[in-house]
Amino acid sequence: MATVTPTAAGLQDCRNAWVATLEQLAEADPRIVAVVNDSVGSSKLNSFQKKFADRLINVGIAEQVMVGVGAGLANGGRIPFVSAASCFITGRALEQVKADLAYANFNVKLVGQSSGVAYGELGATHHSIEDFAWLRPLTNLTVIVPADAWETAEAVKWAAQHDGPVYLRLSRMPVPDLDIPNRTFRPGKAEVVREGSDIAIIACGTTVHLAADAAEVLQAEGIHARVLNFSTINPLDEAALHRAAATGAIVTVEEASIRGGLGGAVAEFTSANQPVPVERVGFPGFLPTGSTDWLFQEYGLSPEGIAAAAHRALKRKA
Amino acid sequence: MLMNDKVPLIREKALWMRRTAFTMVHRAQLGHPGGDFSAMDILATLYFGVLNFDAKRPDWPDRDRFVMSKGHATGALYSALCAAGYFPEDWLQTYMQPKSLLNGHPNRNYLPGVETNTGPLGHGFPVATGIAIAGQLTGATYRTFVLTGDGEQQEGSNWEAAMVAGHRKLSHLTLIIDRNRLQQGAGTEETSGLDPLDDKYRAFGFDVVEVDGHDHAALLAVLGAAPASKPRCVIANTTKGKGVSFMENVASWHHGVPNAAQYDQAMKELV
Ligand SMILES: Cc1ncc(C[n+]2csc(CCOP(=O)(O)OP(=O)(O)O)c2C)c(N)n1
Ligand SMILES: [Mg+2]
């Protein structure tokens, strides 16, 4: 599969933060192991493999076994980071994730690589846009979608010391560091990227910086948008959603299906608690082939597309 | 026509397919040329020596079926389908472009001649097993061929399918394994070893044959042979990247793409 390298200065491939952090943790804690499905290179684990050869368990191209082995390793007192393309680690091994990780509540960290439409040209089998809908309802499973390199490193550190199953949804799509002073990573809590009271834009992962840019576009039109980095999808930060709904209109943005993901979660919450218009930016279903950048533009995952969704939501605002 | 009379045509088509696939990958700067090239002679033999099909009627009920389970090798599959007349040559230029019918992995809804969508490994053999059961139920005479990678054999779904196919004595089903001994990141035997693969399939109730996967006459004899009383497994010993010196047996060409100099070099070798 092709690799995407940063296309402009200042953009980062968050996989570098993932492996650097994992290696640091593994130096200090011998219980940490990595489990892969012929995905050493795509997970960027080559250097981990060199340093900790016997702690890199490559089960071959066998995702169901990979996740099951992760549960077994946890039973045996290891802290496994199971890493594979997110389309396969979720879709192919879904019942293992449900029964062996979430239901059995084993201390396994799933790391979904190249999520969303990172493998744009490879088509719908390799797009991972259904994973939020599949994993969000699973009790016990914390689902985290880091927005930049800093948050990726923090999420890996947090996952290592948290006792319970976690899904970290990573991307290889280059993203800028978010411009937020004095950050602390708080799992389960949304992060305010920008204050505003006319509308709330709730984004996660690779789309947060696009939401921030959309807020700039809206600002020029006199619309003050509140922007949230909603990096934990499960459990939901209900307090943040109450405040978002208080603006009277919401836009959600995700590199995922608009059905059942972050937008679905926000719509579930608002319809039950505080009904406001919710416009969801994301993908409608199986997508045509095309580069990641093309798919983002085509489906409105852009500052202009998000701003347009904000206008639609504002028009519906009571 | 004597079977071996077909060999020159197969050789000519295989060469065209290699040049075409490499040109597609070079243009797109995406693809899986290593696995394309190990499978190329198998596909050329099937489409120009074995399969009974009519490209004008891709849904002809009595056609022989070919299922490309190693769906990443679209350079091989698309050049074969094009050579077989399923679609015009200019479609190849759209490989991986936005909205192209020539997706990175094959989609039966876009492209005539594709029997089922593949891409995630370990899906083709179960579907081919279903096709063969349908044939057995209706007493049809068509045959079903499915090609998997060897690394792909690590997926448990293959062994579930093998159990079903062996149990039901699906005589019209042939599993071909592209035994190039490399998977994405390393050798199969250092990752999760498969040998002895022949004994494994024999134990699952298959008629097992080994063949040089680049010898057109040998492939023709094995793949063209009449069905036995049980399913057949053809272990085709191949070289990943076969035909281009710098790609042969080099793992990184699994999804490597050529620069201009490498492209020119390959075109000089592929004659
Ligand atoms: C279920 C699944 N897991 C992982 C992958 C990623 N992947 C694509 S090709 C490949 C290696 C395949 O090796 P092999 O079957 O030997 O194919 P070949 O050598 O013929 O290219 C991998 C791991 C995938 N496509 N599907
Ligand atoms: Mg192989």
Side-chain angles (χ1 to χ4, degrees), chain A residues 63 88, chain B residues 70 72 119 121 149-152 155 180 182 240 254:
Chain A
E63 293 72 22
F88 305 131
Chain B
K70 41 174 283 186
H72 55 287
L121 297 165
D150 51 358
E152 181 175 5
E155 290 285 4
N180 58 29
L182 286 175
K240 206 156 175 172
H254 175 72

Side-chain angles (χ1 to χ4, degrees), chain B residues 179-201:
Chain B
R179 186 74 173 110
N180 58 29
R181 298 194 161 261
L182 286 175
Q183 46 195 94
Q184 181 168 272
T188 57
E189 300 315 284
E190 59 185 294
T191 304
S192 186
L194 299 165
D195 286 335
L197 203 46
D198 51 346
D199 287 348
K200 288 192 174 84
Y201 272 99

Side-chain angles (χ1 to χ4, degrees), chain A residues 253-283:
Chain A
V253 197
E254 59 201 303
E255 188 187 346
S257 172
I258 53 169
R259 293 182 279 171
L262 173 62
V266 170
E268 280 170 21
F269 176 85
T270 52
S271 65
N273 298 287
Q274 221 169 327
V276 293
V278 176
E279 288 287 331
R280 292 162 300 151
V281 177
F283 301 113

Side-chain angles (χ1 to χ4, degrees), chain B residues 123-134:
Chain B
H123 284 242
F125 187 12
V127 175
T129 299
I131 297 172
I133 294 173

Side-chain angles (χ1 to χ4, degrees), chain B residues 35-145:
Chain B
D36 285 339
F37 277 48
S38 64
M40 216 60 99
D41 299 301
I42 298 165
L43 266 69
T45 305
L46 284 169
Y47 280 96
F48 296 98
V50 177
L51 297 177
N52 188 18
F53 66 93
D54 178 355
K56 297 283 160 299
R57 281 193 300 157
D59 57 356
W60 175 38
D62 293 329
R63 70 190 182 282
D64 287 343
R65 269 72 165 176
F66 172 65
V67 173
M68 184 68 161
S69 193
K70 41 174 283 186
H72 55 287
T74 40
L77 181 66
Y78 295 162
S79 59
L81 291 176
C82 181
Y86 279 101
F87 57 82
E89 223 175 296
D90 55 351
W91 287 21
L92 295 171
Q93 288 174 27
T94 68
Y95 186 46
M96 308 253 196
Q97 295 302 307
K99 295 188 178 171
S100 172
L101 307 184
L102 276 64
N103 184 8
H105 294 90
N107 185 326
R108 65 188 285 267
N109 302 296
Y110 303 161
L111 208 61
V114 174
E115 296 290 351
T116 187
N117 294 19
T118 51
L121 297 165
H123 284 242
F125 187 12
V127 175
T129 299
I131 297 172
I133 294 173
Q136 196 182 49
L137 286 175
T138 57
T141 54
Y142 67 75
R143 300 182 62 185
T144 305
F145 297 84

